[in-house]
Amino acid sequence: MLDVKNEDSFLKKFAELSFVITIFLYFAGWIYIYEYFNYFGLSIRELEVDFYYVLIYSLNVFFYLFKFDNFITTLLLVATIITIVFLVMFQGNRKIVPWVSCFILFFFLYHTSMKAGRDEAKAARMYKTSLLRKVAFVLKDTTTSHPAFNLLRISNRDRKLRLLAVNKDAYFVIIADPGILKERDLVNHSMQLFTVKKDEISLIKLTN
């Protein structure tokens, strides 16, 4: 016979665990996004990132963890997560709340999310391996709001622009510099970020 009391207790613990996991995912995703776009001089407020997008971006942090260079950090993080899950799901004593484990996990996620955001931003500037999509605009003749409009126009003509982000009013693009092939090349090449307002273009074309 089904024990309703035990089932309710399990479902309650499962709900609590899901809530905790969501908090950790949002925290990791927010730090990642902040570091990633801050590298390019963009604010999260400019991008108007929705809640569920932050959760999706948090997956980038966990993918980053499974790179070979982060093996030890990954093991420590997994051990901490297993400890938290065990204490929340199977410890009946409410006084044994895993505050220390949670604090350690927050510390690991903060450090890892920051590093992942910066490293992924640097990778986005690489000429050959960048995952940013190429973008080309048909600019209106009245487009005059850019201090470096000639550079934007030439880069757009030569198909050297990559789409970094977009909000309801504008596209944020960077120049794909063919001189940036490795991370050490970044220090020798200045970064150009352009904000192209949507009312300044007639057409946009995206390619991989």
Side-chain angles (χ1 to χ4, degrees):
M1 185 175 181
L2 183 63
D3 191 334
V4 177
K5 185 176 180 181
N6 288 339
E7 183 182 12
D8 290 343
S9 177
F10 178 81
L11 291 175
K12 186 176 181 180
K13 289 181 179 180
F14 181 78
E16 291 174 353
L17 181 61
S18 300
F19 178 72
V20 171
I21 290 175
T22 302
I23 291 175
F24 281 123
L25 289 176
Y26 185 86
F27 176 77
W30 195 93
I31 296 297
Y32 173 88
I33 293 174
Y34 176 85
E35 287 296 325
Y36 182 88
F37 289 110
N38 186 61
Y39 176 84
F40 296 99
L42 278 177
S43 168
I44 294 181
R45 294 179 180 178
E46 294 180 83
L47 302 177
E48 303 168 351
V49 182
D50 293 328
F51 175 81
Y52 60 90
Y53 274 122
V54 176
L55 296 180
I56 292 174
Y57 275 113
S58 70
L59 297 178
N60 289 357
V61 177
F62 293 97
F63 291 145
Y64 178 83
L65 276 171
F66 286 98
K67 292 182 179 180
F68 182 76
D69 295 342
N70 305 310
F71 182 70
I72 295 178
T73 303
T74 303
L75 286 180
L76 292 173
L77 182 62
V78 170
T80 305
I81 292 174
I82 292 174
T83 301
I84 291 175
V85 171
F86 175 78
L87 292 174
V88 172
M89 294 294 292
F90 302 108
Q91 282 290 347
N93 192 340
R94 287 283 181 177
K95 294 181 180 180
I96 308 178
V97 179
W99 294 111
V100 175
S101 297
C102 288
F103 176 79
I104 294 173
L105 182 55
F106 267 115
F107 175 79
F108 273 126
L109 283 179
Y110 178 77
H111 172 76
T112 305
S113 300
M114 286 183 62
K115 193 172 187 304
R118 286 194 297 263
D119 288 352
E120 295 294 334
K122 291 177 182 178
R125 289 188 61 198
M126 303 299 173
Y127 184 71
K128 291 185 177 180
T129 58
S130 175
L131 297 179
L132 296 180
R133 301 183 69 181
K134 295 179 181 178
V135 61
F137 301 104
V138 176
L139 299 169
K140 295 180 180 178
D141 294 336
T142 56
T143 307
T144 57
S145 62
H146 303 282
F149 174 70
N150 286 335
L151 180 58
L152 171 65
R153 181 176 55 80
I154 293 171
S155 300
N156 183 60
R157 180 198 64 193
D158 296 340
R159 301 295 190 267
K160 289 184 177 181
L161 296 179
R162 294 187 190 273
L163 181 63
L164 177 63
V166 60
N167 64 16
K168 64 180 181 180
D169 298 316
Y171 298 97
F172 301 94
V173 297
I174 61 173
I175 295 176
D177 193 330
I180 303 177
L181 300 176
K182 297 181 180 180
E183 186 172 339
R184 64 171 179 263
D185 298 327
L186 294 173
V187 296
N188 299 320
H189 294 77
S190 60
M191 181 175 58
Q192 294 288 344
L193 173 69
F194 297 101
T195 302
V196 182
K197 295 181 180 179
K198 291 184 177 180
D199 58 5
E200 296 177 338
I201 64 173
S202 301
L203 191 65
I204 177 175
K205 180 181 179 181
L206 292 170
T207 57
N208 293 324

